[in-house]
């Protein structure tokens, strides 16, 4: 199953609200700060996933199945959970 991270969901909500209002500058100051926070968290998640995918490829090339499974477990831990 495919899940949407709560940070991405909130970014979508705020973007849609900004669109309805006529721009991001029309959002409340707290919502603008929330967008900044979400973008920072998004960047962190992206860097972590990219690094793990690169490590997984290295483990695959090295034929180290145990290491690759460990990396896949770390990737799974980052995947959004359904509630």
């Amino acid at each position: 199953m495919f899940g949407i991270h709560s940070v991405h969901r909130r970014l979508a909500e705020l973007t849609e609200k900004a669109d309805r209002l006529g721009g991001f500058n029309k959002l409340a100051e707290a919502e603008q700060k929330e967008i900044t926070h979400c973008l920072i968290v998004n960047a962190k998640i992206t860097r972590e996933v990219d690094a793990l995918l690169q490590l997984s490829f290295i483990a695959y090339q090295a034929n180290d199945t145990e290491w690759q499974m460990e990396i896949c477990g770390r990737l799974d831990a980052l995947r959004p959970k359904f509630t």
Side-chain angles (χ1 to χ4, degrees), residues 18-36:
D19 190 47
R20 284 193 307 273
L21 294 175
F24 287 97
N25 60 330
K26 305 288 185 185
L27 292 172
E29 184 178 341
E31 290 171 322
Q32 291 179 22
K33 288 180 180 180
E34 189 176 1
I35 287 174
T36 300

Side-chain angles (χ1 to χ4, degrees), residues 4 16 66 72:
I4 306 270
E16 290 170 353
E66 186 177 328
C72 287

Side-chain angles (χ1 to χ4, degrees), residues 4-20:
I4 306 270
H5 195 282
S6 59
V7 168
H8 301 132
R9 186 175 309 285
R10 185 62 180 145
L11 278 171
E13 292 168 356
L14 290 169
T15 299
E16 290 170 353
K17 182 175 181 179
D19 190 47
R20 284 193 307 273

